[in-house]
Amino acid sequence: MKLGVFELTDCGGCALNILFLYEKLFDLLEFYDIKEFHMASSFKEHDHLDVAIVTGTVSCQRDLEVLRHARNYSNYLIALGTCATHGSVQGAVEGKLRDKLEKVYGTRANTMKALDPKPVVEYVAVDFALPGCPYDKMEIYQLLLDLAKGVEPIKKDYPVCIECKLNEYECVLVKKGLPCLGPITVGGCNAICVKSKLGCIGCRGPLPKEANPAGEFEILKNLGYDEEYLRRKFKTFARGELRW
Amino acid sequence: MILELGEFTRVEGNGKAEVIIENGEVKEARVKIVEGPRFFELLTLGRYYWDVPDLEARICAICYLAHSFASVLGIENAFGVKVPEEIQLLRELGLIGEILESHSLHLYLLVAPDLFGYPDAIRMASKHGEIVREGLALKAFGNYIREVIGGREIHGINVKPGGFGRYPTEDELEKIDKSCDALLRFAKRAVNIFATQEVFGAVPEYHVATDGYLYGEKLIASDGERFDYFEHIEEKSLPYSFAKQSHYKGSVFMTGALSRLMVKSDRLTPIAKELFEQHKEKLSRGYVSLNNLAQAIELVYSLERAKEIVSTLLDHGIKGENVPIEPKEGEGIGYVEAPRGVLIHHYRIDENGNITYSNIITPTALNHALMELSLYEEARKQYGTVDENFLKHKLEETVRAFDPCISCSVHFVRL
């Protein structure tokens, strides 16, 4: 199978996390031939790909061109990481693009063709969307292995709370009153932040179904958190997707 | 004629360069950061201080802890909070983990393929599997430390103003202690490998670093100055790049592993110091490519220092107590050494604990001007004497020596 990894605008973590598979990466190479992965390799072959992995948000014209290339030249396109699936942190910055450019660069001119950061899924159809800031590296390993073997990948649809309970961590929302987005955030991280005795910050994006952000909002409001604080917290990784 | 370079491969993020040639002479080199802007300062504004280090961590995956710590230090300084030795040592340990993870990524996976003549480390592994695996072992160990201190390999939220969410256990610290000895042999071999690399790139006029080895109260420079960044570092926007450019006292300067060794070698651990003395003459020539050798020496330093820290912590026993924080109005700067150089987070906070001003300056942006100068000088030296492909390859190697972190560089202060 021919594989390409394409990076749009992000922190580099989603591509890096593939390298963090270490020895397991060599397992994947039994099935995959890497044709493009610019963080890791100077090798590049413009060819049709079986699988294209795209990380990051579309934040400039260059990103859009790379994304279109990845989509047009691949059978399966994986949107990898919360930037690609939900917009993540740079997608959450409020305001008009030209105002933001002025505040940061001191000019309203847009010579470099910046775009308002948006997730990959808003521009092209994707075959798989794997959220996480970053995703758990075993998830991409499993997904690539499933694709290579023709197995239908399993999609996670349960909240972080499930993994928290399985690990027998103390509920920081109930016991400590910390703002924890675990109940409305899709699991898969093994409740990693609750392991640190801190609340889930929602980096995997909202639970796809049966989430109750309004209920969560109400609970946190009753605990004394102000509405503006909660609004920003809900928005950080998911742009406007969590509504209440 | 314009010689187009890139997009760069084997660097973090998306960047290009162009070398402008007129009448057969190299006129100018430009480093163009094409990764989209990320607006982190704006994201931070109005946020409650407690959540800010977790957001700033997302600036970069390779050095997320450096961003978390710089953010935490800026916030603590704004509130006038001082943390005890235990927390300081744990923070230093986290930064050491990051140096190990980042330097070994850079040296073994990104630079070594140039030395051995391969397009990447995966293909290099077919002939030199042992070296690649040694690099991966160092990298995995660095990541283990990042996980223990930071809460996960990438973007953990364990680092908090006043302390940590969770403190490491004795078992975790002992595991770190044991691995340091085992890995030291690999790190020493890295010094031998990278000591053979020829020199290229420019020679900076000044080096800039923090006054402590991995973080500090102020910046220091090779001319003996001890200062706050706004006193001597000037930034400007460029029409062709999403990253800004900086000068120290009007001159092109460097920050990073080479700079740390040049201004702080007196703080090195025994074996690292010995290796530094052994290669001092070469390092003192100052070419940016020597940053690779300097990083290899820092691998040795990191393993030795991690062992010292862990043994102190184990002797005293971990108390695991955070310093309580009462938000109040204030202003503070955090100076940290990210693996690739000085990182600055500067905040103003209101009486409710919300951020009202934020300024972040990253090492890649600080090195941006030197990166251009290096391309210019290298292109002048080589143009006309070698074929175009070789020249492009050489110029890309020059950029790579900076270990640039482009994602970090694309969000900047308002002027």
Side-chain angles (χ1 to χ4, degrees):
Chain A
M1 303 262 279
K2 293 174 184 170
L3 176 71
V5 180
F6 300 87
E7 285 174 75
L8 310 182
T9 293
D10 62 10
C11 73
C14 289
L16 188 68
N17 216 11
I18 298 173
L19 299 178
F20 287 175
L21 284 167
Y22 310 116
E23 297 289 324
K24 284 204 154 55
L25 181 59
F26 290 95
D27 293 350
L28 285 178
L29 295 175
E30 304 274 321
F31 301 95
Y32 288 95
D33 200 2
I34 297 177
K35 296 293 181 189
E36 161 142 19
F37 188 171
H38 93 253
M39 181 193 275
S41 178
S42 299
F43 181 83
K44 188 172 180 172
E45 197 174 84
H46 276 293
D47 203 351
H48 196 83
L49 298 165
D50 294 291
V51 180
I53 293 175
V54 181
T55 76
T57 53
V58 176
S59 296
C60 56
Q61 195 62 34
R62 173 252 168 216
D63 290 342
L64 194 53
E65 283 157 23
V66 172
L67 173 62
R68 284 184 179 142
H69 170 86
R71 176 69 281 182
N72 291 341
Y73 283 85
S74 63
N75 293 347
Y76 291 110
L77 188 127
I78 303 172
L80 185 61
T82 305
C83 283
T85 61
H86 295 85
S88 200
V89 285
Q90 64 254 20
V93 184
E94 293 167 338
K96 290 201 173 92
L97 180 67
R98 287 200 189 260
D99 293 342
K100 291 193 274 188
L101 286 172
E102 187 176 20
K103 281 181 187 153
V104 173
Y105 297 98
T107 169
R108 295 180 75 80
N110 188 3
T111 46
M112 297 280 289
K113 296 182 184 164
L115 301 169
D116 212 19
K118 282 184 188 163
V120 162
V121 295
E122 289 205 15
Y123 283 99
V124 298
V126 305
D127 300 286
F128 302 97
L130 193 61
C133 183
Y135 57 89
D136 186 307
K137 61 191 177 187
M138 288 312 291
E139 294 182 283
I140 189 67
Y141 176 75
Q142 195 58 50
L143 177 54
L144 288 174
L145 221 52
D146 287 347
L147 286 177
K149 292 179 171 178
V151 176
E152 181 68 26
I154 294 169
K155 226 178 146 189
K156 294 189 174 115
D157 60 355
Y158 52 83
V160 171
C161 295
I162 300 280
E163 288 166 343
C164 190
K165 293 282 169 291
L166 288 171
N167 280 296
E168 297 182 2
Y169 296 144
E170 185 177 72
C171 178
V172 294
L173 179 61
V174 174
K175 292 274 169 72
K176 295 205 256 175
L178 292 181
C180 179
L181 301 190
I184 53 172
T185 300
V186 64
C189 58
N190 207 18
I192 190 81
C193 293
V194 192
K195 185 185 175 187
S196 285
K197 301 177 182 174
L198 297 162
C200 163
I201 60 174
C203 83
R204 294 179 57 85
L207 194 63
K209 53 180 184 185
E210 292 171 27
N212 183 4
E216 169 91 9
F217 194 85
E218 212 44 47
I219 290 171
L220 292 172
K221 228 174 78 179
N222 290 338
L223 283 170
Y225 295 99
D226 85 52
E227 287 196 26
E228 173 59 15
Y229 172 76
L230 294 174
R231 187 185 71 80
R232 285 172 183 262
K233 201 162 183 75
F234 275 38
K235 203 181 173 214
T236 303
F237 292 94
R239 300 176 84 227
E241 285 184 49
L242 280 174
R243 293 175 204 284
W244 57 92
Chain B
M1 177 181 114
I2 294 175
L3 191 68
E4 293 270 1
L5 270 186
E7 298 183 359
F8 304 138
T9 60
R10 280 187 278 132
V11 300
E12 197 286 315
N14 307 314
K16 288 187 195 176
E18 56 186 33
V19 177
I20 296 150
I21 296 159
E22 279 172 22
N23 304 323
E25 207 180 309
V26 176
K27 283 281 173 213
E28 200 187 336
R30 291 173 171 174
V31 173
K32 303 163 84 169
I33 302 299
V34 298
E35 175 129 0
R38 296 179 67 221
F39 305 122
F40 265 88
E41 286 82 359
L42 303 179
L43 177 70
T44 316
L45 289 183
R47 293 272 179 167
Y48 191 56
Y49 78 95
W50 183 258
D51 294 337
V52 168
D54 305 336
L55 296 179
E56 308 288 33
R58 265 80 191 172
I59 292 173
C60 179
I62 302 181
C63 56
Y64 91 87
L65 272 180
H67 281 283
S68 301
F69 285 130
S71 180
V72 160
L73 290 176
I75 291 166
E76 287 176 356
N77 286 335
F79 294 151
V81 168
K82 289 267 174 271
V83 298
E85 193 195 10
E86 175 180 293
I87 293 172
Q88 287 178 28
L89 287 174
L90 286 169
R91 286 176 179 172
E92 193 183 342
L93 186 60
L95 290 171
I96 283 172
E98 196 143 277
I99 293 243
L100 286 166
E101 172 271 328
S102 180
H103 283 6
S104 51
L105 168 75
H106 181 239
L107 292 174
Y108 290 88
L109 300 186
L110 311 185
V111 178
D114 287 328
L115 262 64
F116 291 90
Y118 291 88
D120 55 52
I122 293 162
R123 287 166 177 91
M124 182 180 137
S126 59
K127 269 258 176 66
H128 304 279
E130 204 182 329
I131 295 172
V132 174
R133 286 196 155 79
E134 285 178 10
L136 289 179
L138 282 162
K139 194 165 142 56
F141 175 57
N143 258 348
Y144 173 71
I145 298 179
R146 292 213 299 178
E147 197 180 334
V148 169
I149 303 291
R152 93 172 139 178
E153 285 182 341
I154 300 175
H155 301 336
I157 67 168
N158 195 37
V159 176
K160 287 292 179 191
F164 295 92
R166 166 192 179 275
Y167 283 76
T169 62
E170 277 190 16
D171 280 356
E172 285 168 338
L173 293 177
E174 273 161 15
K175 193 175 163 195
I176 291 172
D177 179 64
K178 283 196 190 102
S179 303
C180 289
D181 290 330
L183 292 169
L184 199 54
R185 193 166 48 91
F186 299 168
K188 285 193 222 163
R189 177 142 48 181
V191 176
N192 285 334
I193 293 171
F194 291 95
T196 61
Q197 197 182 20
E198 54 174 316
V199 297
F200 47 82
V203 177
E205 269 186 72
Y206 298 100
H207 291 282
V208 171
T210 62
D211 60 355
Y213 199 82
L214 288 180
Y215 62 94
E217 309 263 298
K218 294 268 183 184
L219 297 179
I220 49 171
S222 46
D223 59 354
E225 193 82 58
R226 190 167 180 276
F227 64 105
D228 272 314
Y229 79 94
F230 48 79
E231 292 173 288
H232 297 300
I233 289 176
E234 243 184 300
E235 292 187 288
K236 63 172 185 189
S237 289
L238 302 166
Y240 55 84
S241 176
F242 282 125
K244 286 186 187 174
Q245 215 170 67
S246 304
H247 288 84
Y248 170 71
K249 294 184 177 174
S251 297
V252 175
F253 68 102
M254 181 172 186
T255 183
L258 181 62
S259 303
R260 285 192 286 267
L261 290 192
M262 296 325 285
V263 299
K264 294 185 277 199
S265 65
D266 56 322
R267 291 163 191 263
L268 291 176
T269 45
I271 304 172
K273 178 129 191 163
E274 206 176 288
L275 290 165
F276 171 75
E277 293 297 337
Q278 203 179 317
H279 297 287
K280 193 174 174 182
E281 213 179 296
K282 189 171 186 182
L283 289 164
S284 305
R285 293 172 68 195
Y287 290 96
V288 296
S289 64
L290 292 162
N291 195 43
N292 295 331
L293 173 59
Q295 285 192 342
I297 293 173
E298 280 197 336
L299 288 177
V300 174
Y301 168 79
S302 301
L303 293 168
E304 285 186 292
R305 180 70 187 137
K307 211 174 150 59
E308 285 175 7
I309 290 174
V310 168
S311 99
T312 309
L313 289 169
L314 285 170
D315 282 352
H316 296 181
I318 296 276
K319 290 197 187 64
E321 283 166 16
N322 285 358
V323 178
I325 292 183
E326 284 296 319
K328 59 178 182 193
E329 200 179 328
E331 178 169 359
I333 307 175
Y335 293 115
V336 160
E337 290 280 356
R340 51 197 57 68
V342 168
L343 170 65
I344 303 160
H345 282 225
H346 183 179
Y347 304 110
R348 278 184 215 124
I349 306 178
D350 69 16
E351 70 279 8
N352 299 318
N354 293 323
I355 305 287
T356 57
Y357 169 88
S358 120
N359 185 8
I360 296 161
I361 304 182
T362 65
T364 296
L366 294 175
N367 278 330
H368 194 189
L370 182 61
M371 216 181 283
E372 288 193 342
L373 183 67
S374 291
L375 284 183
Y376 171 74
E377 291 195 355
E378 198 57 31
R380 270 182 88 93
K381 201 161 43 179
Q382 307 263 3
Y383 182 72
T385 63
V386 295
D387 78 57
E388 202 175 295
N389 276 338
F390 182 85
L391 176 63
K392 281 186 176 180
H393 183 80
K394 203 72 216 166
L395 293 178
E396 201 174 325
E397 263 187 74
T398 308
V399 170
R400 211 171 280 134
F402 285 93
D403 190 6
C405 184
I406 288 169
S407 302
C408 282
S409 70
V410 289
H411 36 81
F412 256 90
V413 272
R414 97 218 64 190
L415 294 167

